[in-house]
Structure formats: C-alpha cells, structure tokens
Amino acid sequence: RKEVEQDPGPFNVPEGATVAFNCTYSNSASQSFFWYRQDCRKEPKLLMSVYSSGNEDGRFTAQLNRASQYISLLIRDSKLSDSATYLCVVNDHAAGNKLTFGGGTRVLVKP
Amino acid sequence: EAGVAQSPRYKIIEKRQSVAFWCNPISGHATLYWYQQILGQGPKLLIQFQNNGVVDDSQLPKDRFSAERLKGVDSTLKIQPAKLEDSAVYLCASSTPRGPDEQYFGPGTRLTVT
C-alpha cells in the first residue's frame, strides 16, 4: 500500500462548480499535512496547510480526519486558473521531518 | 528574494552516460532536498541535507546516484551510469531552519535518457 494515495483523476469541472477530492495516508504517526499545487511542467508550490480543525483560504477548504486517516480539499466557484495537479503531502516529524508526496489529483476546469 | 536555482533545465543523454545537476537554494535555507518526479507521479525524495550533512538518503539508489553539499550551500546530484528509467524531472527544494513545512522548489531539470 502506498504511504499517500490520491485519485489521479482527471476531475473535469465546469467553471463555477465545486469540486472535492481526498487523500489517504497510511502512517498514523504523521503529524503535518499540506496541499501543494503543481501546474503543467512547473514546480510544486504550497497551496495550504491542513489543520486538525479544518481551514479555509478563500475558495479553498482543507480538512483533516485523523480517525480515518484522510485529508480533503474542496474548491468552490472553480476558475479556469484552478486547472492543475493537486499534491497531497504528509510530514512525519518522527522520521526527521520527512515529506511524502501523493501522486497528485488532476483537476481540469472547463468553460 | 531569489528563488531556488537549478541547472541545466533540460538534459538528454544516452544510457550508461553520466550527468550532473546543480542546485542553489534560497539564501539562508539550511535544508536542501533532491526529488525525482517521474511523469504522472508525485515527487519522490532522493536525499535531504541539513547544512552539509545528510539527514535522509534512504531512497537514493546509491549504486548509481550520488549527491553532495560540501559547503552547506549549493548542491550537486550525479547519476553514473544513467539508465532509461532515470528519465524524470529532478527537483531541488529548500526550506527554512524552522522546518520543512513549506518547501520552495526550483524549476527542475528534465532528464531524458535514450
């Protein structure tokens, strides 16, 4: 089983719609969680951290479910510019702050 | 503030040849990472440096890959000899001394092994 698993997609989303997708992780000792965004042929960039209580940044909402070991990302009012691959990242502090990336979920927002 | 610099941006070599990549992290960032990203996959950590010491190289294929960060600033990653399956983007990232919660990535080097 992969340490961090994501549905590769693509999720085809009409502009203005809401899309949500999850990421599951296998290491229950994982302590920090993040979503990174990667545009085609570009480097990953931090989108947001994921806190236990859930957090929101504009149209983006991230949530963590430790009991079921998954995190989620929801995008409201999708824009064409939201088209990208969203990488789920898990940090295991006990392993020396090792970041493990999921394979990414591809989102395509269409007019 | 200048970002993470990498060179070359693209490299095409034949199998069994050698190749080296260079990375200069953001000034003041003590932690430096090399990742391999195969098309359609997420980045996989190859090696992590804290200053000039290795923190984690458990996923580095040491029979052919080597990396160094001699002065605790810039770093080189070498592959010798290259295999077809080494075709990937090699990403360098750095983070602040406070921790890796945000890693800043360079533009990557796209390697094609023919």
PDB file of all heavy atoms in Angstrom, chain A residues 32 34 36 38 41 43-46 87 91 93 95-99 101-104, chain B residues 35 37 40-43 45 48 55-56 59 91 100-103 105-107 110:
ATOM      1  N   SER A  32       1.871  16.437  10.172  1.00  0.00           N
ATOM      2  CA  SER A  32       1.536  17.665   9.451  1.00  0.00           C
ATOM      3  C   SER A  32       1.084  17.287   8.052  1.00  0.00           C
ATOM      4  O   SER A  32       1.570  16.315   7.478  1.00  0.00           O
ATOM      5  CB  SER A  32       2.746  18.592   9.351  1.00  0.00           C
ATOM      6  OG  SER A  32       3.246  18.921  10.610  1.00  0.00           O
ATOM      7  N   PHE A  34      -0.365  18.855   4.091  1.00  0.00           N
ATOM      8  CA  PHE A  34      -0.362  20.018   3.213  1.00  0.00           C
ATOM      9  C   PHE A  34      -0.963  19.656   1.865  1.00  0.00           C
ATOM     10  O   PHE A  34      -0.947  18.501   1.456  1.00  0.00           O
ATOM     11  CB  PHE A  34       1.086  20.508   2.973  1.00  0.00           C
ATOM     12  CG  PHE A  34       1.876  20.646   4.235  1.00  0.00           C
ATOM     13  CD1 PHE A  34       2.634  19.596   4.699  1.00  0.00           C
ATOM     14  CD2 PHE A  34       1.851  21.819   4.951  1.00  0.00           C
ATOM     15  CE1 PHE A  34       3.360  19.701   5.876  1.00  0.00           C
ATOM     16  CE2 PHE A  34       2.572  21.945   6.129  1.00  0.00           C
ATOM     17  CZ  PHE A  34       3.316  20.877   6.590  1.00  0.00           C
ATOM     18  N   TYR A  36      -0.181  20.875  -2.018  1.00  0.00           N
ATOM     19  CA  TYR A  36       0.633  21.635  -2.949  1.00  0.00           C
ATOM     20  C   TYR A  36      -0.076  21.631  -4.290  1.00  0.00           C
ATOM     21  O   TYR A  36      -0.771  20.678  -4.643  1.00  0.00           O
ATOM     22  CB  TYR A  36       2.027  21.000  -3.111  1.00  0.00           C
ATOM     23  CG  TYR A  36       3.050  21.407  -2.082  1.00  0.00           C
ATOM     24  CD1 TYR A  36       2.932  21.011  -0.757  1.00  0.00           C
ATOM     25  CD2 TYR A  36       4.147  22.194  -2.441  1.00  0.00           C
ATOM     26  CE1 TYR A  36       3.882  21.378   0.187  1.00  0.00           C
ATOM     27  CE2 TYR A  36       5.101  22.561  -1.503  1.00  0.00           C
ATOM     28  CZ  TYR A  36       4.960  22.155  -0.192  1.00  0.00           C
ATOM     29  OH  TYR A  36       5.898  22.522   0.740  1.00  0.00           O
ATOM     30  N   GLN A  38       0.572  21.931  -8.463  1.00  0.00           N
ATOM     31  CA  GLN A  38       1.599  21.856  -9.498  1.00  0.00           C
ATOM     32  C   GLN A  38       0.961  22.075 -10.856  1.00  0.00           C
ATOM     33  O   GLN A  38       0.111  21.293 -11.282  1.00  0.00           O
ATOM     34  CB  GLN A  38       2.326  20.503  -9.464  1.00  0.00           C
ATOM     35  CG  GLN A  38       3.515  20.438 -10.416  1.00  0.00           C
ATOM     36  CD  GLN A  38       4.359  19.182 -10.213  1.00  0.00           C
ATOM     37  OE1 GLN A  38       3.874  18.143  -9.777  1.00  0.00           O
ATOM     38  NE2 GLN A  38       5.655  19.284 -10.533  1.00  0.00           N
ATOM     39  N   ARG A  41       4.225  21.113 -16.155  1.00  0.00           N
ATOM     40  CA  ARG A  41       5.624  21.363 -16.441  1.00  0.00           C
ATOM     41  C   ARG A  41       6.223  22.463 -15.554  1.00  0.00           C
ATOM     42  O   ARG A  41       7.186  23.136 -15.939  1.00  0.00           O
ATOM     43  CB  ARG A  41       5.830  21.702 -17.910  1.00  0.00           C
ATOM     44  CG  ARG A  41       5.351  20.590 -18.848  1.00  0.00           C
ATOM     45  CD  ARG A  41       5.523  20.976 -20.304  1.00  0.00           C
ATOM     46  NE  ARG A  41       6.896  20.796 -20.739  1.00  0.00           N
ATOM     47  CZ  ARG A  41       7.395  19.644 -21.198  1.00  0.00           C
ATOM     48  NH1 ARG A  41       6.637  18.581 -21.253  1.00  0.00           N
ATOM     49  NH2 ARG A  41       8.650  19.567 -21.592  1.00  0.00           N
ATOM     50  N   GLU A  43       7.089  23.623 -11.178  1.00  0.00           N
ATOM     51  CA  GLU A  43       7.410  23.035  -9.894  1.00  0.00           C
ATOM     52  C   GLU A  43       6.216  23.129  -8.945  1.00  0.00           C
ATOM     53  O   GLU A  43       5.357  23.987  -9.083  1.00  0.00           O
ATOM     54  CB  GLU A  43       8.630  23.747  -9.272  1.00  0.00           C
ATOM     55  CG  GLU A  43       8.377  25.188  -8.831  1.00  0.00           C
ATOM     56  CD  GLU A  43       8.587  26.189  -9.934  1.00  0.00           C
ATOM     57  OE1 GLU A  43       8.551  25.822 -11.133  1.00  0.00           O
ATOM     58  OE2 GLU A  43       8.803  27.370  -9.589  1.00  0.00           O
ATOM     59  N   PRO A  44       6.159  22.246  -7.937  1.00  0.00           N
ATOM     60  CA  PRO A  44       5.081  22.333  -6.938  1.00  0.00           C
ATOM     61  C   PRO A  44       5.214  23.592  -6.092  1.00  0.00           C
ATOM     62  O   PRO A  44       6.322  24.039  -5.785  1.00  0.00           O
ATOM     63  CB  PRO A  44       5.303  21.080  -6.080  1.00  0.00           C
ATOM     64  CG  PRO A  44       6.185  20.186  -6.866  1.00  0.00           C
ATOM     65  CD  PRO A  44       7.036  21.081  -7.707  1.00  0.00           C
ATOM     66  N   LYS A  45       4.058  24.118  -5.692  1.00  0.00           N
ATOM     67  CA  LYS A  45       4.029  25.271  -4.783  1.00  0.00           C
ATOM     68  C   LYS A  45       3.003  25.023  -3.700  1.00  0.00           C
ATOM     69  O   LYS A  45       1.943  24.458  -3.960  1.00  0.00           O
ATOM     70  CB  LYS A  45       3.692  26.551  -5.557  1.00  0.00           C
ATOM     71  CG  LYS A  45       4.777  26.964  -6.549  1.00  0.00           C
ATOM     72  CD  LYS A  45       4.453  28.283  -7.215  1.00  0.00           C
ATOM     73  CE  LYS A  45       5.582  28.656  -8.182  1.00  0.00           C
ATOM     74  NZ  LYS A  45       5.311  29.940  -8.881  1.00  0.00           N
ATOM     75  N   LEU A  46       3.342  25.450  -2.481  1.00  0.00           N
ATOM     76  CA  LEU A  46       2.439  25.231  -1.355  1.00  0.00           C
ATOM     77  C   LEU A  46       1.124  25.975  -1.581  1.00  0.00           C
ATOM     78  O   LEU A  46       1.118  27.181  -1.839  1.00  0.00           O
ATOM     79  CB  LEU A  46       3.087  25.711  -0.061  1.00  0.00           C
ATOM     80  CG  LEU A  46       2.237  25.539   1.199  1.00  0.00           C
ATOM     81  CD1 LEU A  46       2.018  24.055   1.500  1.00  0.00           C
ATOM     82  CD2 LEU A  46       2.897  26.226   2.396  1.00  0.00           C
ATOM     83  N   LEU A  87      -1.272  18.085  -5.154  1.00  0.00           N
ATOM     84  CA  LEU A  87      -0.468  17.072  -4.480  1.00  0.00           C
ATOM     85  C   LEU A  87      -0.729  17.095  -2.983  1.00  0.00           C
ATOM     86  O   LEU A  87      -0.624  18.143  -2.342  1.00  0.00           O
ATOM     87  CB  LEU A  87       1.022  17.331  -4.730  1.00  0.00           C
ATOM     88  CG  LEU A  87       1.503  17.257  -6.181  1.00  0.00           C
ATOM     89  CD1 LEU A  87       2.876  17.908  -6.321  1.00  0.00           C
ATOM     90  CD2 LEU A  87       1.566  15.824  -6.656  1.00  0.00           C
ATOM     91  N   ASN A  91       3.766  14.970   6.437  1.00  0.00           N
ATOM     92  CA  ASN A  91       5.056  15.147   7.117  1.00  0.00           C
ATOM     93  C   ASN A  91       5.118  14.249   8.346  1.00  0.00           C
ATOM     94  O   ASN A  91       4.263  14.331   9.220  1.00  0.00           O
ATOM     95  CB  ASN A  91       5.227  16.616   7.530  1.00  0.00           C
ATOM     96  CG  ASN A  91       6.580  16.887   8.180  1.00  0.00           C
ATOM     97  OD1 ASN A  91       7.440  16.018   8.237  1.00  0.00           O
ATOM     98  ND2 ASN A  91       6.757  18.093   8.676  1.00  0.00           N
ATOM     99  N   HIS A  93       7.127  13.854  11.416  1.00  0.00           N
ATOM    100  CA  HIS A  93       8.139  14.540  12.221  1.00  0.00           C
ATOM    101  C   HIS A  93       9.121  13.553  12.829  1.00  0.00           C
ATOM    102  O   HIS A  93      10.314  13.831  12.938  1.00  0.00           O
ATOM    103  CB  HIS A  93       7.473  15.351  13.329  1.00  0.00           C
ATOM    104  CG  HIS A  93       6.652  16.493  12.819  1.00  0.00           C
ATOM    105  ND1 HIS A  93       6.072  17.423  13.647  1.00  0.00           N
ATOM    106  CD2 HIS A  93       6.311  16.880  11.567  1.00  0.00           C
ATOM    107  CE1 HIS A  93       5.411  18.311  12.929  1.00  0.00           C
ATOM    108  NE2 HIS A  93       5.536  17.994  11.666  1.00  0.00           N
ATOM    109  N   ALA A  95      10.283  10.921  11.687  1.00  0.00           N
ATOM    110  CA  ALA A  95      11.246  10.413  10.696  1.00  0.00           C
ATOM    111  C   ALA A  95      12.155  11.522  10.199  1.00  0.00           C
ATOM    112  O   ALA A  95      12.665  11.435   9.089  1.00  0.00           O
ATOM    113  CB  ALA A  95      10.506   9.761   9.531  1.00  0.00           C
ATOM    114  N   GLY A  96      12.322  12.543  11.010  1.00  0.00           N
ATOM    115  CA  GLY A  96      13.209  13.633  10.623  1.00  0.00           C
ATOM    116  C   GLY A  96      12.561  14.624   9.699  1.00  0.00           C
ATOM    117  O   GLY A  96      13.206  15.173   8.812  1.00  0.00           O
ATOM    118  N   ASN A  97      11.274  14.862   9.910  1.00  0.00           N
ATOM    119  CA  ASN A  97      10.543  15.806   9.079  1.00  0.00           C
ATOM    120  C   ASN A  97      10.577  15.398   7.608  1.00  0.00           C
ATOM    121  O   ASN A  97      10.884  16.206   6.731  1.00  0.00           O
ATOM    122  CB  ASN A  97      11.077  17.224   9.249  1.00  0.00           C
ATOM    123  CG  ASN A  97      10.612  17.841  10.550  1.00  0.00           C
ATOM    124  OD1 ASN A  97       9.462  17.688  10.928  1.00  0.00           O
ATOM    125  ND2 ASN A  97      11.498  18.512  11.232  1.00  0.00           N
ATOM    126  N   LYS A  98      10.270  14.158   7.367  1.00  0.00           N
ATOM    127  CA  LYS A  98      10.260  13.647   6.002  1.00  0.00           C
ATOM    128  C   LYS A  98       8.895  13.910   5.372  1.00  0.00           C
ATOM    129  O   LYS A  98       7.857  13.526   5.911  1.00  0.00           O
ATOM    130  CB  LYS A  98      10.528  12.143   6.010  1.00  0.00           C
ATOM    131  CG  LYS A  98      10.450  11.495   4.639  1.00  0.00           C
ATOM    132  CD  LYS A  98      10.681   9.995   4.746  1.00  0.00           C
ATOM    133  CE  LYS A  98      10.473   9.308   3.412  1.00  0.00           C
ATOM    134  NZ  LYS A  98      10.670   7.850   3.523  1.00  0.00           N
ATOM    135  N   LEU A  99       8.928  14.595   4.227  1.00  0.00           N
ATOM    136  CA  LEU A  99       7.702  14.855   3.477  1.00  0.00           C
ATOM    137  C   LEU A  99       7.478  13.743   2.468  1.00  0.00           C
ATOM    138  O   LEU A  99       8.389  13.390   1.724  1.00  0.00           O
ATOM    139  CB  LEU A  99       7.781  16.193   2.741  1.00  0.00           C
ATOM    140  CG  LEU A  99       7.810  17.464   3.570  1.00  0.00           C
ATOM    141  CD1 LEU A  99       7.667  18.674   2.665  1.00  0.00           C
ATOM    142  CD2 LEU A  99       6.708  17.475   4.622  1.00  0.00           C
ATOM    143  N   PHE A 101       4.974  12.734  -0.697  1.00  0.00           N
ATOM    144  CA  PHE A 101       4.000  13.266  -1.637  1.00  0.00           C
ATOM    145  C   PHE A 101       3.123  12.157  -2.184  1.00  0.00           C
ATOM    146  O   PHE A 101       3.596  11.049  -2.472  1.00  0.00           O
ATOM    147  CB  PHE A 101       4.724  13.926  -2.823  1.00  0.00           C
ATOM    148  CG  PHE A 101       5.328  15.264  -2.516  1.00  0.00           C
ATOM    149  CD1 PHE A 101       6.502  15.363  -1.778  1.00  0.00           C
ATOM    150  CD2 PHE A 101       4.736  16.433  -2.968  1.00  0.00           C
ATOM    151  CE1 PHE A 101       7.070  16.602  -1.495  1.00  0.00           C
ATOM    152  CE2 PHE A 101       5.300  17.668  -2.697  1.00  0.00           C
ATOM    153  CZ  PHE A 101       6.462  17.753  -1.952  1.00  0.00           C
ATOM    154  N   GLY A 102       1.840  12.468  -2.354  1.00  0.00           N
ATOM    155  CA  GLY A 102       0.975  11.585  -3.096  1.00  0.00           C
ATOM    156  C   GLY A 102       1.221  11.763  -4.590  1.00  0.00           C
ATOM    157  O   GLY A 102       1.999  12.636  -5.011  1.00  0.00           O
ATOM    158  N   GLY A 103       0.549  10.961  -5.386  1.00  0.00           N
ATOM    159  CA  GLY A 103       0.744  11.012  -6.829  1.00  0.00           C
ATOM    160  C   GLY A 103       0.052  12.174  -7.511  1.00  0.00           C
ATOM    161  O   GLY A 103       0.310  12.447  -8.684  1.00  0.00           O
ATOM    162  N   GLY A 104      -0.832  12.844  -6.769  1.00  0.00           N
ATOM    163  CA  GLY A 104      -1.497  14.018  -7.324  1.00  0.00           C
ATOM    164  C   GLY A 104      -2.869  13.712  -7.891  1.00  0.00           C
ATOM    165  O   GLY A 104      -3.133  12.602  -8.375  1.00  0.00           O
TER     166      GLY A 104
ATOM    167  N   TYR B  35      14.528  15.725  -5.248  1.00  0.00           N
ATOM    168  CA  TYR B  35      13.416  14.837  -5.539  1.00  0.00           C
ATOM    169  C   TYR B  35      13.525  14.358  -6.985  1.00  0.00           C
ATOM    170  O   TYR B  35      14.015  15.065  -7.859  1.00  0.00           O
ATOM    171  CB  TYR B  35      12.074  15.555  -5.405  1.00  0.00           C
ATOM    172  CG  TYR B  35      11.661  15.917  -4.003  1.00  0.00           C
ATOM    173  CD1 TYR B  35      12.044  17.130  -3.434  1.00  0.00           C
ATOM    174  CD2 TYR B  35      10.869  15.061  -3.249  1.00  0.00           C
ATOM    175  CE1 TYR B  35      11.641  17.471  -2.153  1.00  0.00           C
ATOM    176  CE2 TYR B  35      10.458  15.397  -1.964  1.00  0.00           C
ATOM    177  CZ  TYR B  35      10.851  16.603  -1.427  1.00  0.00           C
ATOM    178  OH  TYR B  35      10.447  16.942  -0.153  1.00  0.00           O
ATOM    179  N   GLN B  37      10.871  13.215  -9.936  1.00  0.00           N
ATOM    180  CA  GLN B  37       9.458  13.156 -10.291  1.00  0.00           C
ATOM    181  C   GLN B  37       9.321  12.532 -11.676  1.00  0.00           C
ATOM    182  O   GLN B  37       9.646  13.163 -12.687  1.00  0.00           O
ATOM    183  CB  GLN B  37       8.794  14.529 -10.247  1.00  0.00           C
ATOM    184  CG  GLN B  37       7.283  14.444 -10.468  1.00  0.00           C
ATOM    185  CD  GLN B  37       6.564  15.746 -10.235  1.00  0.00           C
ATOM    186  OE1 GLN B  37       7.136  16.833 -10.344  1.00  0.00           O
ATOM    187  NE2 GLN B  37       5.281  15.678  -9.897  1.00  0.00           N
ATOM    188  N   GLY B  40       3.624  11.749 -14.326  1.00  0.00           N
ATOM    189  CA  GLY B  40       2.385  11.186 -13.813  1.00  0.00           C
ATOM    190  C   GLY B  40       2.435  10.771 -12.351  1.00  0.00           C
ATOM    191  O   GLY B  40       1.451  10.261 -11.821  1.00  0.00           O
ATOM    192  N   GLN B  41       3.579  10.998 -11.702  1.00  0.00           N
ATOM    193  CA  GLN B  41       3.725  10.635 -10.298  1.00  0.00           C
ATOM    194  C   GLN B  41       4.072  11.870  -9.473  1.00  0.00           C
ATOM    195  O   GLN B  41       4.451  12.910  -9.996  1.00  0.00           O
ATOM    196  CB  GLN B  41       4.814   9.570 -10.143  1.00  0.00           C
ATOM    197  CG  GLN B  41       4.520   8.279 -10.886  1.00  0.00           C
ATOM    198  CD  GLN B  41       5.616   7.244 -10.689  1.00  0.00           C
ATOM    199  OE1 GLN B  41       6.438   7.345  -9.765  1.00  0.00           O
ATOM    200  NE2 GLN B  41       5.632   6.238 -11.539  1.00  0.00           N
ATOM    201  N   GLY B  42       3.947  11.723  -8.154  1.00  0.00           N
ATOM    202  CA  GLY B  42       4.379  12.797  -7.272  1.00  0.00           C
ATOM    203  C   GLY B  42       5.881  12.748  -7.068  1.00  0.00           C
ATOM    204  O   GLY B  42       6.533  11.742  -7.378  1.00  0.00           O
ATOM    205  N   PRO B  43       6.449  13.834  -6.560  1.00  0.00           N
ATOM    206  CA  PRO B  43       7.894  13.834  -6.302  1.00  0.00           C
ATOM    207  C   PRO B  43       8.272  12.778  -5.260  1.00  0.00           C
ATOM    208  O   PRO B  43       7.557  12.591  -4.275  1.00  0.00           O
ATOM    209  CB  PRO B  43       8.146  15.239  -5.758  1.00  0.00           C
ATOM    210  CG  PRO B  43       6.993  16.064  -6.248  1.00  0.00           C
ATOM    211  CD  PRO B  43       5.836  15.133  -6.274  1.00  0.00           C
ATOM    212  N   LEU B  45      11.350  11.731  -2.668  1.00  0.00           N
ATOM    213  CA  LEU B  45      12.568  12.241  -2.051  1.00  0.00           C
ATOM    214  C   LEU B  45      13.738  11.300  -2.315  1.00  0.00           C
ATOM    215  O   LEU B  45      13.653  10.099  -2.068  1.00  0.00           O
ATOM    216  CB  LEU B  45      12.377  12.398  -0.546  1.00  0.00           C
ATOM    217  CG  LEU B  45      13.594  12.906   0.221  1.00  0.00           C
ATOM    218  CD1 LEU B  45      13.892  14.356  -0.142  1.00  0.00           C
ATOM    219  CD2 LEU B  45      13.386  12.763   1.725  1.00  0.00           C
ATOM    220  N   GLN B  48      18.027  14.292   1.529  1.00  0.00           N
ATOM    221  CA  GLN B  48      17.782  15.515   2.289  1.00  0.00           C
ATOM    222  C   GLN B  48      19.056  15.881   3.034  1.00  0.00           C
ATOM    223  O   GLN B  48      19.645  15.038   3.723  1.00  0.00           O
ATOM    224  CB  GLN B  48      16.633  15.299   3.281  1.00  0.00           C
ATOM    225  CG  GLN B  48      16.363  16.481   4.201  1.00  0.00           C
ATOM    226  CD  GLN B  48      15.243  16.191   5.200  1.00  0.00           C
ATOM    227  OE1 GLN B  48      14.464  15.262   5.018  1.00  0.00           O
ATOM    228  NE2 GLN B  48      15.173  16.978   6.253  1.00  0.00           N
ATOM    229  N   VAL B  55      20.612  13.972   6.043  1.00  0.00           N
ATOM    230  CA  VAL B  55      19.578  13.599   7.015  1.00  0.00           C
ATOM    231  C   VAL B  55      18.890  12.299   6.600  1.00  0.00           C
ATOM    232  O   VAL B  55      18.619  11.429   7.424  1.00  0.00           O
ATOM    233  CB  VAL B  55      18.537  14.726   7.158  1.00  0.00           C
ATOM    234  CG1 VAL B  55      17.384  14.292   8.044  1.00  0.00           C
ATOM    235  CG2 VAL B  55      19.185  15.993   7.685  1.00  0.00           C
ATOM    236  N   ASP B  56      18.615  12.184   5.301  1.00  0.00           N
ATOM    237  CA  ASP B  56      17.890  11.016   4.797  1.00  0.00           C
ATOM    238  C   ASP B  56      18.308  10.765   3.370  1.00  0.00           C
ATOM    239  O   ASP B  56      18.158  11.643   2.525  1.00  0.00           O
ATOM    240  CB  ASP B  56      16.379  11.260   4.880  1.00  0.00           C
ATOM    241  CG  ASP B  56      15.539  10.047   4.466  1.00  0.00           C
ATOM    242  OD1 ASP B  56      16.092   9.065   3.950  1.00  0.00           O
ATOM    243  OD2 ASP B  56      14.306  10.099   4.650  1.00  0.00           O
ATOM    244  N   GLN B  59      16.161   6.573   0.011  1.00  0.00           N
ATOM    245  CA  GLN B  59      15.601   6.234  -1.297  1.00  0.00           C
ATOM    246  C   GLN B  59      16.538   6.606  -2.441  1.00  0.00           C
ATOM    247  O   GLN B  59      16.121   6.606  -3.597  1.00  0.00           O
ATOM    248  CB  GLN B  59      14.232   6.909  -1.467  1.00  0.00           C
ATOM    249  CG  GLN B  59      13.203   6.438  -0.443  1.00  0.00           C
ATOM    250  CD  GLN B  59      11.811   6.949  -0.734  1.00  0.00           C
ATOM    251  OE1 GLN B  59      11.007   6.269  -1.367  1.00  0.00           O
ATOM    252  NE2 GLN B  59      11.519   8.152  -0.289  1.00  0.00           N
ATOM    253  N   LEU B  91      13.944  17.634  -9.106  1.00  0.00           N
ATOM    254  CA  LEU B  91      13.580  18.866  -8.426  1.00  0.00           C
ATOM    255  C   LEU B  91      14.448  19.071  -7.199  1.00  0.00           C
ATOM    256  O   LEU B  91      14.658  18.147  -6.410  1.00  0.00           O
ATOM    257  CB  LEU B  91      12.109  18.819  -7.981  1.00  0.00           C
ATOM    258  CG  LEU B  91      11.055  18.797  -9.084  1.00  0.00           C
ATOM    259  CD1 LEU B  91       9.731  18.292  -8.537  1.00  0.00           C
ATOM    260  CD2 LEU B  91      10.885  20.173  -9.694  1.00  0.00           C
ATOM    261  N   PRO B 100      10.439  22.008   7.545  1.00  0.00           N
ATOM    262  CA  PRO B 100      10.134  21.869   6.118  1.00  0.00           C
ATOM    263  C   PRO B 100       8.678  22.103   5.792  1.00  0.00           C
ATOM    264  O   PRO B 100       8.217  21.689   4.751  1.00  0.00           O
ATOM    265  CB  PRO B 100      10.493  20.404   5.855  1.00  0.00           C
ATOM    266  CG  PRO B 100      10.054  19.722   7.115  1.00  0.00           C
ATOM    267  CD  PRO B 100      10.315  20.725   8.236  1.00  0.00           C
ATOM    268  N   ASP B 101       7.932  22.732   6.675  1.00  0.00           N
ATOM    269  CA  ASP B 101       6.512  22.868   6.411  1.00  0.00           C
ATOM    270  C   ASP B 101       6.223  23.554   5.094  1.00  0.00           C
ATOM    271  O   ASP B 101       5.216  23.274   4.476  1.00  0.00           O
ATOM    272  CB  ASP B 101       5.824  23.601   7.573  1.00  0.00           C
ATOM    273  CG  ASP B 101       5.658  22.690   8.784  1.00  0.00           C
ATOM    274  OD1 ASP B 101       6.145  21.549   8.728  1.00  0.00           O
ATOM    275  OD2 ASP B 101       5.056  23.120   9.764  1.00  0.00           O
ATOM    276  N   GLU B 102       7.050  24.458   4.683  1.00  0.00           N
ATOM    277  CA  GLU B 102       6.934  24.964   3.326  1.00  0.00           C
ATOM    278  C   GLU B 102       8.268  24.770   2.635  1.00  0.00           C
ATOM    279  O   GLU B 102       9.285  25.326   3.058  1.00  0.00           O
ATOM    280  CB  GLU B 102       6.535  26.428   3.250  1.00  0.00           C
ATOM    281  CG  GLU B 102       6.434  26.907   1.797  1.00  0.00           C
ATOM    282  CD  GLU B 102       5.738  28.229   1.634  1.00  0.00           C
ATOM    283  OE1 GLU B 102       5.438  28.879   2.659  1.00  0.00           O
ATOM    284  OE2 GLU B 102       5.489  28.624   0.484  1.00  0.00           O
ATOM    285  N   GLN B 103       8.243  23.975   1.604  1.00  0.00           N
ATOM    286  CA  GLN B 103       9.428  23.788   0.787  1.00  0.00           C
ATOM    287  C   GLN B 103       9.286  24.625  -0.474  1.00  0.00           C
ATOM    288  O   GLN B 103       8.212  24.673  -1.074  1.00  0.00           O
ATOM    289  CB  GLN B 103       9.604  22.320   0.406  1.00  0.00           C
ATOM    290  CG  GLN B 103       9.927  21.432   1.593  1.00  0.00           C
ATOM    291  CD  GLN B 103      10.314  20.028   1.185  1.00  0.00           C
ATOM    292  OE1 GLN B 103      10.471  19.718   0.015  1.00  0.00           O
ATOM    293  NE2 GLN B 103      10.487  19.167   2.168  1.00  0.00           N
ATOM    294  N   PHE B 105      10.486  25.048  -4.219  1.00  0.00           N
ATOM    295  CA  PHE B 105      11.064  24.219  -5.261  1.00  0.00           C
ATOM    296  C   PHE B 105      11.700  25.065  -6.358  1.00  0.00           C
ATOM    297  O   PHE B 105      11.215  26.152  -6.699  1.00  0.00           O
ATOM    298  CB  PHE B 105       9.990  23.344  -5.901  1.00  0.00           C
ATOM    299  CG  PHE B 105       9.574  22.180  -5.056  1.00  0.00           C
ATOM    300  CD1 PHE B 105       8.634  22.340  -4.051  1.00  0.00           C
ATOM    301  CD2 PHE B 105      10.133  20.926  -5.260  1.00  0.00           C
ATOM    302  CE1 PHE B 105       8.247  21.263  -3.263  1.00  0.00           C
ATOM    303  CE2 PHE B 105       9.762  19.846  -4.488  1.00  0.00           C
ATOM    304  CZ  PHE B 105       8.817  20.015  -3.481  1.00  0.00           C
ATOM    305  N   GLY B 106      12.765  24.529  -6.915  1.00  0.00           N
ATOM    306  CA  GLY B 106      13.339  25.102  -8.118  1.00  0.00           C
ATOM    307  C   GLY B 106      12.556  24.632  -9.331  1.00  0.00           C
ATOM    308  O   GLY B 106      11.660  23.790  -9.211  1.00  0.00           O
ATOM    309  N   PRO B 107      12.907  25.146 -10.512  1.00  0.00           N
ATOM    310  CA  PRO B 107      12.158  24.808 -11.730  1.00  0.00           C
ATOM    311  C   PRO B 107      12.389  23.378 -12.209  1.00  0.00           C
ATOM    312  O   PRO B 107      11.644  22.880 -13.038  1.00  0.00           O
ATOM    313  CB  PRO B 107      12.667  25.813 -12.757  1.00  0.00           C
ATOM    314  CG  PRO B 107      14.036  26.145 -12.284  1.00  0.00           C
ATOM    315  CD  PRO B 107      13.975  26.112 -10.789  1.00  0.00           C
ATOM    316  N   ARG B 110      14.835  18.577 -16.427  1.00  0.00           N
ATOM    317  CA  ARG B 110      14.141  17.484 -17.122  1.00  0.00           C
ATOM    318  C   ARG B 110      15.186  16.629 -17.817  1.00  0.00           C
ATOM    319  O   ARG B 110      15.851  17.085 -18.756  1.00  0.00           O
ATOM    320  CB  ARG B 110      13.136  18.045 -18.115  1.00  0.00           C
ATOM    321  CG  ARG B 110      12.266  16.984 -18.800  1.00  0.00           C
ATOM    322  CD  ARG B 110      11.189  17.648 -19.648  1.00  0.00           C
ATOM    323  NE  ARG B 110      10.319  18.470 -18.823  1.00  0.00           N
ATOM    324  CZ  ARG B 110       9.241  18.031 -18.200  1.00  0.00           C
ATOM    325  NH1 ARG B 110       8.880  16.770 -18.297  1.00  0.00           N
ATOM    326  NH2 ARG B 110       8.509  18.864 -17.472  1.00  0.00           N
TER     327      ARG B 110
END
